[in-house]
Amino acid sequence: MLLAIKLAYRNLIGAGLRTWLNVLVLSFSFVVIIWIKGIMVGWDHQAKTDMTQYEIAGGQYWQETYDPFDPLTLDISHALIPAEVMPEIEAGDMEPTLLIPGHIFPNGRMQGVTIRGIRSGQSIWKLPTEKLDTVVDAIPAFIGLLMASSNKLETGDLVTIRWRDANGTFDAAEILIVDIFSSNVPGVEAGQVYIPLERLEELTLLEGHATILSYRDPEAPRAELTGWTLKPKEVLTRQVDELIKTKSTAQTILYGILLLLAMLAIFDTQILSIFRRQKEIGTYVALGYTRREVVGLFTVEGTMHAVLAAIAASIYGLPILYWQAKVGWTLPMDASDFGMAMAQTLYPVYTIGLVISTVLLVLITTAVVSYLPSRKIAKMNPTEALRGKLQ
Amino acid sequence: MEIIEIKNLVKRFPMGKGEFTALRGVDLNFGKGEFAGLIGPSGSGKTTLLNIIGSLDVPTEGSVTVLGRAIGKLNQKEAAQLRKESLGFIFQSYNLLQVHTVYENVEFPLLLLKLNVTERKKMIMDALEWVGLTDKVQSKPPQLSGGECQRVAIARAMVKRPSLVLADEPTANLDAANSHNILKMMENLNQELNTTFLFATHDEKVINYLHRKIFLLDGKVDNEEIIRNH
């Protein structure tokens, strides 16, 4: 094997430009595959981090009738906060959120919203709830950037808000936009208005009620609460996993095509080598190689393209990949339109596993592609090969 | 001591729907240190016989024993082992590895024998000294003349000190002066190292150097001349 590697290396280096063209194409595949996979990992990481920081915290309990995909049930999706979680709430490790459907009337238009009652002193999300801790004539509220830009709202704007109380009676008041936040999580921005929990309880006559209970520590064991459904973090982020899986499939097809092109070049080179190097093959056999060993030599030679490509990719690819990890990749379109947790700029994350799996993928694929045409050598007649006669 | 024993050798090749008989009952023996040649026109079977002796091909009938090993009974691995350890080949078109240097070309048989670097280096330099190419160590075949290429091929064939060297039309691509140089060199090596040389040729220049001449015609031994006993 060592001899085959040594000879293959000599043959490849001796072949000059042909080798380097293949190596260049293959190294490009390496860099692109690692970059694409890195973007996926980075996106996954960023989406889950943002969701944790702005929406789901360490996990949640949902009031049993709450269904985020059925707004019509929102009116009835609340219940008294169970007494057994009160110490956790008082310690600031759990936050109740009350969700009530309502409407706002920005610039003379009517817009359906979810009014989120949230405690101003919370510390489990990065939401600017401290801004709610203010005394103003209207109800202090903050909204997400997505909501602000779609409704042309700015900090300091007064907007009329309408809701129905526990008895089903419509009521309305003014809210004052005290802050606008940006999160990369459309779910917490689009159509959401955040007001102090106690004000919402007051407005809706639902004192001590909540729709969602979000807890800080995802690792701590959670008890079942009657009338509430436990939604651990991994369940709440499953949608992101599935979305990324779908996107990954599409990206796999993309880099599969790229890899296919590189493999075509290797395959073509192997076919051409066997066609042009018949005399050489015969000579190897005459000097003491078995035909099987010559097949091995040609396979190693083809596979070594991938090794050289990995080296080349590490020379010019590492700085590029590092730079990308630093500056990120800014999406050419508005990421908020995607309807999922996605930052405008994605930062690729390269793990050891990602790099090793990519190198193995390319190496194994190249080895197979190199071996397939080389099998022909095993059927060659060495005396004909020595004369360079095509077989 | 006989190093090649050929008994009633027949070699047939498939040709279209029928067969072509290249060798028809050849009986020959060669001893150690011979400088012999198979002489005959194209199609007389000399290259076929050389290929069988070199374990690159197998007999259809009869037997060929080289250095005590029956060629027809060797599997691929055993045949390769025989070539690797005991046989040297010289070809009409040199068959050098084009992208390797002179040094690397000569080194190849020694790499197959898994010799260490020091041993290899000494043997390669000795071989290159025999053929007068120590100044071309780093050259590659495309940078050499035909005569130099054939000298590299001889060095490659001789570097492992094989018992038997098989040379198929070694001077066919060389001019008269180069041919004489090459043949003289091989004759010297034959005498110094007692290596058996077996040629396949119809070149008069080669024939004049041979100590034993075997004339083949239509796949049979037609005539034999012994000029000088080894």
Side-chain angles (χ1 to χ4, degrees), chain A residues 347-370:
Chain A
Y347 294 89
V349 172
Y350 316 112
T351 61
I352 296 281
L354 183 153
V355 174
I356 291 174
S357 65
T358 306
V359 170
L360 284 178
L361 169 78
V362 177
L363 266 178
I364 292 168
T365 315
T366 313
V368 171
V369 167
S370 303

mmCIF file of all heavy atoms in Angstrom, chain A residues 347-370:
data_model
loop_
_atom_site.group_PDB
_atom_site.id
_atom_site.type_symbol
_atom_site.label_atom_id
_atom_site.label_comp_id
_atom_site.label_asym_id
_atom_site.label_seq_id
_atom_site.Cartn_x
_atom_site.Cartn_y
_atom_site.Cartn_z
ATOM 1 N N TYR A 347 -24.174 32.955 10.054
ATOM 2 C CA TYR A 347 -22.757 32.702 10.353
ATOM 3 C C TYR A 347 -22.492 31.198 10.318
ATOM 4 O O TYR A 347 -23.051 30.476 11.145
ATOM 5 C CB TYR A 347 -22.384 33.278 11.718
ATOM 6 C CG TYR A 347 -22.461 34.787 11.737
ATOM 7 C CD1 TYR A 347 -23.649 35.435 12.063
ATOM 8 C CD2 TYR A 347 -21.361 35.559 11.384
ATOM 9 C CE1 TYR A 347 -23.742 36.817 12.041
ATOM 10 C CE2 TYR A 347 -21.440 36.934 11.374
ATOM 11 C CZ TYR A 347 -22.628 37.566 11.701
ATOM 12 O OH TYR A 347 -22.712 38.937 11.667
ATOM 13 N N PRO A 348 -21.687 30.739 9.366
ATOM 14 C CA PRO A 348 -21.427 29.293 9.325
ATOM 15 C C PRO A 348 -20.674 28.816 10.556
ATOM 16 O O PRO A 348 -19.827 29.537 11.082
ATOM 17 C CB PRO A 348 -20.585 29.111 8.061
ATOM 18 C CG PRO A 348 -20.060 30.440 7.709
ATOM 19 C CD PRO A 348 -20.983 31.458 8.296
ATOM 20 N N VAL A 349 -21.015 27.630 10.999
ATOM 21 C CA VAL A 349 -20.317 27.010 12.142
ATOM 22 C C VAL A 349 -19.734 25.694 11.635
ATOM 23 O O VAL A 349 -20.452 24.852 11.104
ATOM 24 C CB VAL A 349 -21.301 26.745 13.303
ATOM 25 C CG1 VAL A 349 -20.631 25.934 14.399
ATOM 26 C CG2 VAL A 349 -21.832 28.056 13.860
ATOM 27 N N TYR A 350 -18.417 25.550 11.740
ATOM 28 C CA TYR A 350 -17.758 24.330 11.243
ATOM 29 C C TYR A 350 -17.373 23.467 12.433
ATOM 30 O O TYR A 350 -16.576 23.883 13.262
ATOM 31 C CB TYR A 350 -16.509 24.684 10.443
ATOM 32 C CG TYR A 350 -16.703 25.831 9.481
ATOM 33 C CD1 TYR A 350 -16.066 27.053 9.682
ATOM 34 C CD2 TYR A 350 -17.527 25.694 8.370
ATOM 35 C CE1 TYR A 350 -16.247 28.110 8.816
ATOM 36 C CE2 TYR A 350 -17.717 26.749 7.498
ATOM 37 C CZ TYR A 350 -17.070 27.951 7.726
ATOM 38 O OH TYR A 350 -17.262 28.986 6.864
ATOM 39 N N THR A 351 -17.941 22.290 12.473
ATOM 40 C CA THR A 351 -17.569 21.379 13.559
ATOM 41 C C THR A 351 -16.549 20.371 13.032
ATOM 42 O O THR A 351 -16.428 20.182 11.818
ATOM 43 C CB THR A 351 -18.801 20.623 14.070
ATOM 44 O OG1 THR A 351 -19.319 19.850 12.982
ATOM 45 C CG2 THR A 351 -19.873 21.568 14.582
ATOM 46 N N ILE A 352 -15.831 19.734 13.964
ATOM 47 C CA ILE A 352 -14.844 18.712 13.579
ATOM 48 C C ILE A 352 -15.555 17.593 12.811
ATOM 49 O O ILE A 352 -15.091 17.122 11.773
ATOM 50 C CB ILE A 352 -14.164 18.121 14.845
ATOM 51 C CG1 ILE A 352 -13.363 19.199 15.559
ATOM 52 C CG2 ILE A 352 -13.292 16.916 14.505
ATOM 53 C CD1 ILE A 352 -12.025 19.529 14.962
ATOM 54 N N GLY A 353 -16.723 17.216 13.330
ATOM 55 C CA GLY A 353 -17.510 16.147 12.700
ATOM 56 C C GLY A 353 -17.864 16.511 11.270
ATOM 57 O O GLY A 353 -17.799 15.660 10.365
ATOM 58 N N LEU A 354 -18.238 17.765 11.064
ATOM 59 C CA LEU A 354 -18.619 18.234 9.727
ATOM 60 C C LEU A 354 -17.434 18.116 8.766
ATOM 61 O O LEU A 354 -17.574 17.600 7.655
ATOM 62 C CB LEU A 354 -19.087 19.682 9.835
ATOM 63 C CG LEU A 354 -19.618 20.401 8.611
ATOM 64 C CD1 LEU A 354 -20.589 21.467 9.056
ATOM 65 C CD2 LEU A 354 -18.533 21.031 7.787
ATOM 66 N N VAL A 355 -16.277 18.566 9.222
ATOM 67 C CA VAL A 355 -15.086 18.540 8.354
ATOM 68 C C VAL A 355 -14.682 17.088 8.064
ATOM 69 O O VAL A 355 -14.463 16.712 6.903
ATOM 70 C CB VAL A 355 -13.921 19.322 9.012
ATOM 71 C CG1 VAL A 355 -12.641 19.181 8.201
ATOM 72 C CG2 VAL A 355 -14.293 20.790 9.147
ATOM 73 N N ILE A 356 -14.660 16.261 9.111
ATOM 74 C CA ILE A 356 -14.250 14.861 8.917
ATOM 75 C C ILE A 356 -15.241 14.139 8.003
ATOM 76 O O ILE A 356 -14.843 13.425 7.085
ATOM 77 C CB ILE A 356 -14.111 14.136 10.283
ATOM 78 C CG1 ILE A 356 -12.904 14.701 11.038
ATOM 79 C CG2 ILE A 356 -13.960 12.631 10.095
ATOM 80 C CD1 ILE A 356 -12.723 14.197 12.443
ATOM 81 N N SER A 357 -16.534 14.360 8.238
ATOM 82 C CA SER A 357 -17.523 13.656 7.408
ATOM 83 C C SER A 357 -17.422 14.108 5.951
ATOM 84 O O SER A 357 -17.564 13.302 5.031
ATOM 85 C CB SER A 357 -18.939 13.875 7.948
ATOM 86 O OG SER A 357 -19.285 15.233 7.848
ATOM 87 N N THR A 358 -17.146 15.389 5.727
ATOM 88 C CA THR A 358 -17.014 15.881 4.347
ATOM 89 C C THR A 358 -15.780 15.263 3.686
ATOM 90 O O THR A 358 -15.849 14.806 2.534
ATOM 91 C CB THR A 358 -16.903 17.419 4.338
ATOM 92 O OG1 THR A 358 -18.005 17.953 5.043
ATOM 93 C CG2 THR A 358 -16.880 17.961 2.930
ATOM 94 N N VAL A 359 -14.673 15.249 4.423
ATOM 95 C CA VAL A 359 -13.435 14.677 3.861
ATOM 96 C C VAL A 359 -13.657 13.198 3.538
ATOM 97 O O VAL A 359 -13.306 12.728 2.447
ATOM 98 C CB VAL A 359 -12.255 14.866 4.852
ATOM 99 C CG1 VAL A 359 -11.045 14.071 4.404
ATOM 100 C CG2 VAL A 359 -11.885 16.340 4.957
ATOM 101 N N LEU A 360 -14.309 12.488 4.451
ATOM 102 C CA LEU A 360 -14.560 11.059 4.210
ATOM 103 C C LEU A 360 -15.492 10.864 3.021
ATOM 104 O O LEU A 360 -15.266 9.986 2.184
ATOM 105 C CB LEU A 360 -15.167 10.406 5.460
ATOM 106 C CG LEU A 360 -14.184 10.120 6.591
ATOM 107 C CD1 LEU A 360 -14.901 9.515 7.783
ATOM 108 C CD2 LEU A 360 -13.069 9.174 6.135
ATOM 109 N N LEU A 361 -16.523 11.700 2.952
ATOM 110 C CA LEU A 361 -17.481 11.599 1.842
ATOM 111 C C LEU A 361 -16.756 11.733 0.501
ATOM 112 O O LEU A 361 -16.923 10.906 -0.402
ATOM 113 C CB LEU A 361 -18.558 12.687 1.979
ATOM 114 C CG LEU A 361 -19.472 12.871 0.764
ATOM 115 C CD1 LEU A 361 -20.531 11.779 0.737
ATOM 116 C CD2 LEU A 361 -20.145 14.235 0.775
ATOM 117 N N VAL A 362 -15.926 12.780 0.405
ATOM 118 C CA VAL A 362 -15.227 13.037 -0.864
ATOM 119 C C VAL A 362 -14.188 11.932 -1.128
ATOM 120 O O VAL A 362 -14.069 11.444 -2.259
ATOM 121 C CB VAL A 362 -14.576 14.437 -0.854
ATOM 122 C CG1 VAL A 362 -13.799 14.681 -2.130
ATOM 123 C CG2 VAL A 362 -15.631 15.512 -0.674
ATOM 124 N N LEU A 363 -13.490 11.513 -0.086
ATOM 125 C CA LEU A 363 -12.464 10.469 -0.256
ATOM 126 C C LEU A 363 -13.084 9.156 -0.735
ATOM 127 O O LEU A 363 -12.602 8.545 -1.699
ATOM 128 C CB LEU A 363 -11.745 10.215 1.075
ATOM 129 C CG LEU A 363 -10.454 10.971 1.319
ATOM 130 C CD1 LEU A 363 -9.897 10.650 2.687
ATOM 131 C CD2 LEU A 363 -9.407 10.634 0.264
ATOM 132 N N ILE A 364 -14.157 8.756 -0.061
ATOM 133 C CA ILE A 364 -14.784 7.475 -0.408
ATOM 134 C C ILE A 364 -15.384 7.548 -1.816
ATOM 135 O O ILE A 364 -15.203 6.640 -2.626
ATOM 136 C CB ILE A 364 -15.840 7.079 0.649
ATOM 137 C CG1 ILE A 364 -15.134 6.762 1.979
ATOM 138 C CG2 ILE A 364 -16.670 5.880 0.191
ATOM 139 C CD1 ILE A 364 -16.038 6.644 3.174
ATOM 140 N N THR A 365 -16.051 8.660 -2.100
ATOM 141 C CA THR A 365 -16.646 8.809 -3.435
ATOM 142 C C THR A 365 -15.553 8.772 -4.500
ATOM 143 O O THR A 365 -15.696 8.102 -5.524
ATOM 144 C CB THR A 365 -17.424 10.146 -3.529
ATOM 145 O OG1 THR A 365 -18.203 10.297 -2.360
ATOM 146 C CG2 THR A 365 -18.318 10.189 -4.740
ATOM 147 N N THR A 366 -14.457 9.467 -4.245
ATOM 148 C CA THR A 366 -13.364 9.494 -5.225
ATOM 149 C C THR A 366 -12.758 8.097 -5.377
ATOM 150 O O THR A 366 -12.434 7.682 -6.496
ATOM 151 C CB THR A 366 -12.266 10.492 -4.786
ATOM 152 O OG1 THR A 366 -12.882 11.702 -4.393
ATOM 153 C CG2 THR A 366 -11.290 10.760 -5.897
ATOM 154 N N ALA A 367 -12.618 7.382 -4.258
ATOM 155 C CA ALA A 367 -12.047 6.035 -4.326
ATOM 156 C C ALA A 367 -12.927 5.121 -5.181
ATOM 157 O O ALA A 367 -12.432 4.378 -6.037
ATOM 158 C CB ALA A 367 -11.894 5.463 -2.921
ATOM 159 N N VAL A 368 -14.234 5.221 -4.977
ATOM 160 C CA VAL A 368 -15.158 4.373 -5.750
ATOM 161 C C VAL A 368 -15.092 4.738 -7.230
ATOM 162 O O VAL A 368 -14.976 3.875 -8.103
ATOM 163 C CB VAL A 368 -16.612 4.521 -5.198
ATOM 164 C CG1 VAL A 368 -17.606 3.824 -6.105
ATOM 165 C CG2 VAL A 368 -16.691 3.960 -3.793
ATOM 166 N N VAL A 369 -15.121 6.042 -7.491
ATOM 167 C CA VAL A 369 -15.081 6.515 -8.882
ATOM 168 C C VAL A 369 -13.742 6.146 -9.552
ATOM 169 O O VAL A 369 -13.684 5.879 -10.749
ATOM 170 C CB VAL A 369 -15.343 8.043 -8.922
ATOM 171 C CG1 VAL A 369 -15.003 8.634 -10.260
ATOM 172 C CG2 VAL A 369 -16.789 8.317 -8.594
ATOM 173 N N SER A 370 -12.690 6.106 -8.770
ATOM 174 C CA SER A 370 -11.379 5.745 -9.322
ATOM 175 C C SER A 370 -11.290 4.242 -9.560
ATOM 176 O O SER A 370 -10.656 3.786 -10.510
ATOM 177 C CB SER A 370 -10.268 6.144 -8.357
ATOM 178 O OG SER A 370 -10.335 7.493 -8.090
#
